[in-house]
Amino acid sequence: MDAQAGRLPLANIWIAFITFLLAAFMGLYQVSERSGLFPRIEFVELYYRSVSSHGVIMGFVLTTFFIMGFGYWIARSTLKIPLWGGNALGWLSFLVSLGGTAAAAAMLFTGHASVMYTFYPPLKANPVFYIGATLLVVGSWIWCLQMVMTMNAWKKANPGAPVPLAMYAMTANAILWFITSLGVASEVLFQLIPWSLGLIDTIDVGLARTLFSWTLHAIVYFWLIPAYIAFYTLVPKAAGGKLFSDEFSRISILMLLVFSVPIGMHHLYVDPMQAAGWKFVHMLGTFMVAIPTLITGFTVIASLEVSGRLRGGKGLFGWIKALNWDDPMVLAGGFALLMLTIGGWGGLVNASYSMDTAVHNTQWITGHFHLIFAGTTVIMYFAIAYYIWPAMTGRPLFSQRLARFQLWLWFIGMLVLTLPWHILGLLGQPRRIGAPAYSQEFVEPWIPYEMAMVLGGAILALSAVLLIVNLLFSHLKRRSTQRPRMEYAEALHPTLKLPALLNGFGFWVIVIAAYMVASYGYPILQFFLMDTHGSFPWSI
Amino acid sequence: MHVDSTERKWVILSFLMAFAMIGILAAYAINYNIRPPSNVETIDSTALQLTEEFAEDSLGLKKAEDGSLVVTMVAMRYGFYPQDMKVPANTPITFRIASADVLHGVHTAGTNMNTMVVPGYVSQLTTTFPKPGKYPMFCNEYCGLGHDFMWSRLIVVPKEEFKFGEDS
């Protein structure tokens, strides 16, 4: 690999982390504001500006740029062939996404798009916001195409050989993202942009919400799959062991791919415009998607056990102690699994057709997805950055110790933030409220948990700063004499041959298309068959 | 393809767990009719005052022809109307709610009375409140800058103390 190969991934990942730092501080402002403990910083307009910006940055900008960067790096380091379309096409994708992000950010920061990252029509943002967000997605579509075509080029040059697992999973993620982003893209292109420009008078909010739900669940797996890639290919390597099962890792990824898109209507359980039967169908898939996560849990823990025993760990639990927890990747892997387990248990409640009504749109939900996304997923993004930085830059990491400390802070901060949020949700606190304006009797029981969440937010903001410091200072280190290599874990039983179904995606894309038509066909079509009444735009 | 025997057992167990959870939820849905609110009924949100059901005078608790209790409510920035309501405990109550403007949600904290209120559609759900007391009804979906001021009170009174007409 040439010395230039790291530039495109680095540029993408730096955009991800710079915006992340900004959004982490917005998060700190938000918990402080909504706690009601600091009346001097209570500005409702600023609060919703911040909530919208925090959501868009964390959900769309951090993730998309990080995943694109990691994807380019995986493609170059596993396949060792040039990117399809060359680096130039990659830079085009980067610039389109960056331009879109800048336009959307300008609207968000000036308060012209305080409509949440979920858009929530009939609240109307400035059209530039919708167009900017679209460009970010369009830029990422170029990346999707590059991932798929580069993998295909490699397969053509290596007939019958298994595609390296990291690349196989990343390509699955590109396909997943393309399919799932079509929902929000249709909402924005056919509804929000023409409506915000005044080309059409009204839009059907029921249809808009249904289209958004198409994107809203699988997007979570788009964010999560890079963490799984690290679980399979980097955590076992860092622990000095091997991947327990290459085949089951592929099966998990394929199950995520098939089951994660056609189940988005569990976000609409209590929406009036979809019938109960369809919600039930989507619930079935929602529980099926738990299976690949359970399998992944097994694979990762089994791989760690192999490593622990290779290190001389004995007995039922002795291998856990024998692991090298001082390695950032191993440490983050452990934290991520813990948070995934707690968050997963909470998720079973929201995923339930009937139990969801007890927690829908309460702070419980915010607690749930912060544990799974900001906890499990983002902590693995940190570990991935620490792991690939030396190979990408040719310089050693500034400080392993600081990296460990930063990961500990993130883990503790996330628990201090999200566990009280679950309780606040059960106490009935709605999500996305500022300093509570309700009668004192309802608010009083919330106070101790609000104090905890402010502390959690502060710990997380400090952790975010330390991440940036560590990565930034690494660029100032002296170049290593020998360029550090990028290494991935091998499977315990090396995969020499694979069934075509586990080495490609053609068949699975057809399965998803059929499943999508079955689960979303009528729920979308019904809006064109019913006599519906659209909504005019409203300002916030 | 190599499959470890412990792994095979775990995969089977994973499937069984998922099926068991689906089975429990399906049994509740069928036996106790516990379903999320999903009535797919359209309405013109810009003209609620012109409808018989959601005009200002007819909001609140009513007795339907079959004797069951129905509450009609309008969600509008930034409040739920009527603002204060009394209902009897341990009695099935059907809520019918429409939005006069943007997206809202309503959650009676501490209960499973929770639904989105989407402009253009009528939300309907039936629930029973077992515990008498004062409950807040929060708007639980961001609806604009006054979102956190949007709430109302629901008072659940013991069934035997509730007199229809005086209390409602």
Side-chain angles (χ1 to χ4, degrees):
Chain A
M1 212 164 24
D2 57 281
Q4 309 296 319
R7 286 197 182 170
L8 182 59
L10 262 176
N12 276 285
I13 293 176
W14 263 122
I15 295 295
F17 283 151
I18 291 167
T19 53
F20 159 77
L21 180 67
L22 204 61
F25 276 88
M26 290 175 186
L28 177 57
Y29 167 69
Q30 289 155 224
V31 286
S32 310
E33 207 271 5
R34 71 174 285 157
S35 72
L37 300 170
F38 311 97
R40 285 182 171 208
I41 59 158
E42 286 175 16
F43 305 106
V44 85
E45 199 276 334
L46 188 63
Y47 174 75
Y48 285 116
R49 212 191 280 196
S50 183
V51 176
S52 299
S53 307
H54 176 88
V56 171
I57 291 176
M58 294 301 199
F60 291 140
V61 183
L62 160 69
T63 49
T64 309
F65 278 97
F66 181 86
I67 295 167
M68 292 197 295
F70 188 35
Y72 285 131
W73 180 247
I74 285 179
R76 294 301 304 270
S77 60
T78 59
L79 303 183
K80 303 188 169 70
I81 59 170
L83 283 176
W84 180 86
N87 274 343
L89 193 59
W91 285 111
L92 177 69
S93 154
F94 175 75
L95 289 176
V96 171
S97 301
L98 189 62
T101 302
M107 293 301 114
L108 282 165
F109 295 165
T110 53
H112 291 89
S114 300
V115 295
M116 304 291 144
Y117 92 105
T118 35
F119 300 153
Y120 285 152
L123 296 178
K124 185 188 77 85
N126 189 303
V128 173
F129 169 67
Y130 301 125
I131 294 167
T134 307
L135 285 177
L136 170 60
V137 174
V138 169
S140 72
W141 284 348
I142 301 175
W143 169 84
C144 291
L145 187 68
Q146 284 193 289
M147 288 294 109
V148 173
M149 298 308 283
T150 309
M151 186 192 84
N152 284 347
W154 185 89
K155 279 177 76 173
K156 220 169 250 163
N158 300 272
V163 177
L165 178 61
M167 186 61 196
Y168 186 72
M170 190 48 94
T171 310
N173 208 21
I175 294 169
L176 173 69
W177 173 235
F178 180 73
I179 296 172
T180 199
S181 59
L182 290 176
V184 69
S186 323
E187 181 196 357
V188 173
L189 290 177
F190 300 121
Q191 293 193 293
L192 299 183
I193 291 179
W195 173 74
S196 65
L197 289 170
L199 303 175
I200 52 174
D201 291 331
T202 64
I203 55 166
D204 188 331
V205 177
L207 174 61
R209 288 179 62 74
T210 305
L211 289 174
F212 198 84
S213 81
W214 166 341
T215 300
L216 195 52
H217 195 67
I219 195 173
V220 177
Y221 288 95
F222 168 61
W223 303 338
L224 190 59
I225 284 179
Y228 280 23
I229 293 175
F231 281 163
Y232 300 138
T233 65
L234 307 182
V235 171
K237 185 78 203 172
K242 294 195 168 182
L243 171 64
F244 189 75
S245 171
D246 180 276
E247 288 94 338
F248 268 98
S249 308
R250 283 168 204 261
I251 291 171
S252 298
I253 291 288
L254 287 170
M255 283 184 81
L256 290 176
L257 181 61
V258 171
F259 281 111
S260 65
V261 195
I263 61 173
M265 263 161 53
H266 65 226
H267 289 267
L268 304 181
Y269 276 155
V270 299
D271 270 52
M273 72 283 172
Q274 292 294 351
W278 292 108
K279 294 174 181 173
F280 192 85
V281 168
H282 282 239
M283 182 196 71
L284 299 178
T286 305
F287 278 95
M288 295 307 285
V289 93
I291 295 168
T293 297
L294 288 166
I295 297 176
T296 301
F298 181 94
T299 307
V300 179
I301 294 169
S303 306
L304 284 176
E305 183 179 345
V306 171
S307 315
R309 296 208 185 282
L310 283 173
R311 290 174 172 276
K314 299 257 184 313
L316 201 53
F317 297 109
W319 58 270
I320 300 178
K321 238 180 103 185
L323 283 167
N324 52 334
W325 294 110
D326 55 353
D327 183 280
M329 179 59 76
V330 180
L331 185 65
F335 289 153
L337 277 180
L338 283 173
M339 290 189 279
L340 184 65
T341 309
I342 310 171
W345 278 107
L348 293 178
V349 176
N350 338 332
S352 298
Y353 183 68
S354 42
M355 282 194 282
D356 173 59
T357 53
V359 295
H360 173 80
N361 267 356
T362 65
Q363 196 62 11
W364 169 284
I365 302 298
T366 323
H368 164 72
F369 71 73
H370 274 79
L371 261 182
I372 299 276
F373 172 62
T376 309
T377 305
V378 173
I379 207 168
M380 292 312 290
Y381 289 6
F382 301 155
I384 290 167
Y386 292 141
Y387 190 92
I388 67 180
W389 223 254
M392 272 198 311
T393 61
R395 298 163 203 268
L397 192 67
F398 173 65
S399 166
Q400 295 277 336
R401 217 169 137 180
L402 187 62
R404 279 200 296 278
F405 183 59
Q406 186 263 330
L407 295 171
W408 269 105
L409 281 184
W410 192 259
F411 174 65
I412 294 168
M414 202 46 80
L415 292 183
V416 174
L417 183 78
T418 58
L419 298 181
W421 275 356
H422 280 85
I423 299 168
L424 283 169
L426 294 177
L427 292 173
Q429 185 183 82
R431 67 190 280 197
R432 289 171 172 157
I433 50 160
Y438 312 125
S439 170
Q440 197 58 28
E441 59 192 308
F442 302 126
V443 173
E444 225 148 61
W446 298 352
I447 293 169
Y449 306 104
E450 311 241 36
M451 288 175 175
M453 83 182 177
V454 176
L455 179 65
I459 298 172
L460 291 168
L462 173 63
S463 175
V465 171
L466 296 182
L467 168 86
I468 301 298
V469 166
N470 207 349
L471 294 180
L472 201 60
F473 281 19
S474 301
H475 286 281
L476 305 177
K477 287 277 239 190
R478 194 188 294 272
R479 272 187 194 285
S480 317
T481 41
Q482 215 177 7
R483 199 178 174 80
R485 284 159 50 101
M486 177 68 198
E487 292 181 320
Y488 296 89
E490 288 164 28
L492 202 55
H493 303 273
T495 0
L496 304 172
K497 247 182 91 110
L498 274 175
L501 284 180
L502 295 185
N503 205 30
F505 296 104
F507 172 76
W508 300 110
V509 170
I510 297 168
V511 171
I512 297 168
Y515 192 174
M516 277 303 281
V517 170
S519 65
Y520 264 109
Y522 184 77
I524 290 174
L525 187 66
Q526 66 161 358
F527 294 102
F528 300 95
L529 304 176
M530 282 191 297
D531 186 18
T532 57
H533 303 273
S535 289
F536 293 96
W538 289 77
S539 67
I540 58 158
Chain B
M1 200 174 122
H2 172 268
V3 183
D4 182 85
S5 73
T6 321
E7 191 168 32
R8 182 184 296 123
K9 283 177 204 148
W10 176 252
V11 171
I12 293 168
L13 190 66
S14 300
F15 272 90
L16 289 179
M17 286 195 283
F19 291 152
M21 285 183 283
I22 292 171
I24 292 167
L25 291 162
Y28 269 89
I30 294 161
N31 287 343
Y32 301 97
N33 202 19
I34 298 179
R35 298 161 198 284
S38 323
N39 60 320
V40 198
E41 177 185 338
T42 62
I43 193 168
D44 185 354
S45 279
T46 58
L48 292 184
Q49 71 281 10
L50 302 179
T51 64
E52 203 176 309
E53 190 180 7
F54 291 98
E56 206 180 336
D57 298 344
S58 49
L59 299 178
L61 184 69
K62 276 172 291 190
K63 222 172 224 168
E65 278 172 20
D66 61 357
S68 64
L69 294 180
V70 179
V71 170
T72 42
M73 275 169 61
V74 167
M76 199 164 82
R77 300 209 289 194
Y78 292 103
F80 296 105
Y81 304 93
Q83 291 240 290
D84 287 281
M85 254 188 306
K86 275 185 188 170
V87 294
N90 291 312
T91 313
I93 296 160
T94 299
F95 288 86
R96 287 178 54 77
I97 312 164
S99 165
D101 42 42
V102 299
L103 190 64
H104 298 285
V106 52
H107 182 202
T108 306
T111 77
N112 65 356
M113 189 278 177
N114 193 340
T115 183
M116 300 296 300
V117 185
V118 180
Y121 299 86
V122 177
S123 306
Q124 178 179 321
L125 66 95
T126 303
T127 193
T128 303
F129 300 103
K131 282 189 213 147
K134 257 197 269 180
Y135 292 88
M137 280 179 147
F138 295 128
C139 177
N140 68 1
E141 193 58 274
Y142 174 65
C143 56
L145 294 181
H147 168 53
D148 35 14
F149 292 86
M150 183 164 170
W151 66 289
S152 67
R153 262 198 194 84
L154 180 74
I155 297 170
V156 178
V157 293
K159 196 173 179 176
E160 49 292 354
E161 291 171 23
F162 184 82
K163 291 188 197 69
F164 187 81
E166 279 174 40
D167 277 337
S168 54

